[in-house]
Amino acid sequence: MDQTKHKLTVSAIARELGLSKTTVSRALSGKGRVSQETKDRINEFISHAGYEAACSENRLKRRQTNNLALVIPPHFIQLDLPFLRKSMGGICRMAAQRGYDILLCYADGKQTEQLERQLDAGKVDGVILSRTMVDDSCLALVRRYGVPFVAMGRLADPNALQVDHDNVGAARDLTRLLLQMGIQRIAYMGNRSSYTVSIDRIAGFRLAMEEFGLTLEPELVYQELNTEESRVDALEAVLEQKPECLLCVDDRLAFDLLQDLRHRGIRVPGDLKLASLYDSEILVNMTPGVTAVQFDSAALGTAACRLLLDSIAGKEAVPRQIQGYQVILRESTK
């Protein structure tokens, strides 16, 4: 195959035919309104350029790059997240074993330009989504380009490649344990409700409460605690409801709330108990240590990368893989 064929991209087709990239992408994916005349014109150009459209999916054949894109939400840059660090370690090790390199890509529901550039230029053979969201633009984008992908999280499509922790079961079991310890007035402290991990964790919390004949009091449920201001306001409001325990959606929020309580002179666990639905070293090393659910994030990253590479190589695999967890009791709930 000569070098001019390697460079045929959506941008190149659009430029040569005087069309927009969106029109070309829609014509190739079969999604969106594009006239049959325009589709025929694009397909004829591709054929003359020496490419074949994939019969069933109407995609361009891509040259192998031995690169994978790892999509990370931009706000992750500002946070020290053990989950991301460990899962990236697992991804990079597995990719290296298979002769692949990882290209970082910062994108989320609103900012997808970098991912689109990588896909449009044909720089990657596959994409790893580090988070799954409701109405995810990144997911729609990789599907439109027809690039193999795997999600670290839950997707609605059971046939899509995805590796996830059992977040519903983990939240249910930790909540059950707290209830069995006689702690009934539990306040749920969450953050980004558009993430499926947040949806699953509050679902598990709700299931455990219902099993014990308890209902969720709106005054004890707070989400979207994504900023210091929202977190402080929520803590002030929830303390007026006299909860026995704060159940935090993840380690970062648990760490920040524990610091806030300390500044207010509220003792944990003496005055108020606290637990987290994700464990990390920042909670282990706190005083007191925080009761939390322990997941193997490195194993999650390894499994996600392996599943994607197996798919690219044409190997059959179970598309949805769920990994387990362990509830760790520490001083914060004693």
Side-chain angles (χ1 to χ4, degrees):
M1 185 179 292
D2 64 47
Q3 292 301 310
T4 60
K5 295 175 184 176
H6 282 313
K7 297 179 181 179
L8 188 62
T9 64
V10 171
S11 294
I13 297 170
R15 184 172 58 254
E16 291 294 329
L17 298 181
L19 301 171
S20 70
K21 291 193 295 182
T22 300
T23 298
V24 175
S25 294
R26 287 175 177 172
L28 293 173
S29 67
K31 298 179 181 179
R33 294 186 178 181
V34 179
S35 70
Q36 188 59 50
E37 180 183 355
T38 300
K39 291 179 181 178
D40 292 342
R41 186 180 168 205
I42 292 171
N43 287 331
E44 182 179 2
F45 176 80
I46 293 170
S47 178
H48 285 313
Y51 275 79
E52 297 178 2
C55 296
S56 62
E57 297 172 346
N58 204 26
R59 306 174 191 155
L60 294 179
K61 284 186 176 180
R62 298 173 178 270
R63 65 182 178 87
Q64 185 172 340
T65 66
N66 286 90
N67 293 326
L68 301 176
L70 174 59
V71 179
I72 299 171
H75 71 270
F76 278 20
I77 307 170
Q78 305 168 3
L79 301 173
D80 178 19
L81 296 175
F83 165 79
L84 179 61
R85 186 171 65 251
K86 292 178 181 178
S87 60
M88 283 180 63
I91 290 169
C92 291
R93 284 190 293 273
M94 175 52 61
Q97 289 176 19
R98 299 285 188 92
Y100 273 77
D101 295 318
I102 301 297
L103 302 183
L104 288 182
C105 178
Y106 297 113
D108 63 8
K110 297 180 180 179
Q111 304 175 29
T112 60
E113 294 83 2
Q114 186 179 16
L115 177 59
E116 186 162 9
R117 284 199 305 272
Q118 290 185 359
L119 297 177
D120 194 35
K123 290 183 178 180
V124 296
D125 299 333
V127 175
I128 300 173
L129 302 173
S130 66
R131 276 287 193 263
T132 52
M133 303 172 61
V134 177
D135 298 325
D136 190 354
S137 298
C138 294
L139 177 60
L141 191 61
V142 294
R143 281 178 164 158
R144 176 155 60 88
Y145 274 87
V147 177
F149 70 92
V150 64
M152 293 167 56
R154 175 176 57 80
L155 296 176
D157 182 0
N159 296 316
L161 299 184
Q162 51 194 292
V163 179
D164 197 10
H165 291 132
D166 183 4
N167 288 295
V168 175
R172 183 183 63 234
D173 283 352
L174 177 51
T175 307
R176 275 178 182 165
L177 184 59
L178 295 173
L179 294 170
Q180 289 168 354
M181 294 168 63
I183 305 170
Q184 293 198 343
R185 198 161 177 75
I186 305 172
Y188 185 90
M189 312 297 282
N191 48 28
R192 290 174 170 81
S193 60
S194 60
Y195 284 177
T196 58
V197 62
S198 299
I199 295 171
D200 290 349
R201 287 176 182 174
I202 196 170
F205 172 65
R206 182 179 290 108
L207 285 174
M209 296 288 282
E210 290 173 353
E211 288 175 15
F212 278 73
L214 301 172
T215 57
L216 267 65
E217 300 179 35
E219 299 81 6
L220 291 177
V221 176
Y222 289 86
Q223 298 206 74
E224 307 302 339
L225 307 184
N226 308 320
T227 65
E228 181 179 1
E229 182 179 16
S230 62
R231 187 187 74 243
V232 171
D233 288 347
L235 179 59
E236 185 171 343
V238 79
L239 289 176
E240 294 179 358
Q241 303 302 317
K242 308 296 183 184
E244 299 173 70
C245 179
L246 303 183
L247 181 58
C248 307
V249 70
D250 62 24
D251 55 334
R252 184 74 246 179
L253 186 56
F255 175 86
D256 290 337
L257 284 171
L258 193 57
Q259 296 284 68
D260 292 339
L261 291 171
R262 182 172 296 158
H263 292 155
R264 288 171 175 264
I266 298 173
R267 299 171 300 157
V268 176
D271 301 321
L272 182 64
K273 303 183 190 309
L274 184 141
S276 171
L277 291 172
Y278 183 80
D279 191 26
S280 72
E281 58 267 25
I282 67 174
L283 300 184
V284 175
N285 297 325
M286 289 291 291
T287 302
V290 177
T291 291
V293 179
Q294 193 171 84
F295 298 104
D296 191 337
S297 302
L300 186 78
T302 298
C305 189
R306 181 190 298 114
L307 182 59
L308 177 59
L309 292 175
D310 284 350
S311 175
I312 291 173
K315 298 179 181 178
E316 291 188 9
V318 177
R320 178 164 168 76
Q321 299 180 9
I322 305 297
Q323 299 199 348
Y325 57 88
Q326 184 178 5
V327 176
I328 307 295
L329 279 176
R330 299 193 183 100
E331 292 80 7
S332 68
T333 54
K334 291 184 179 178

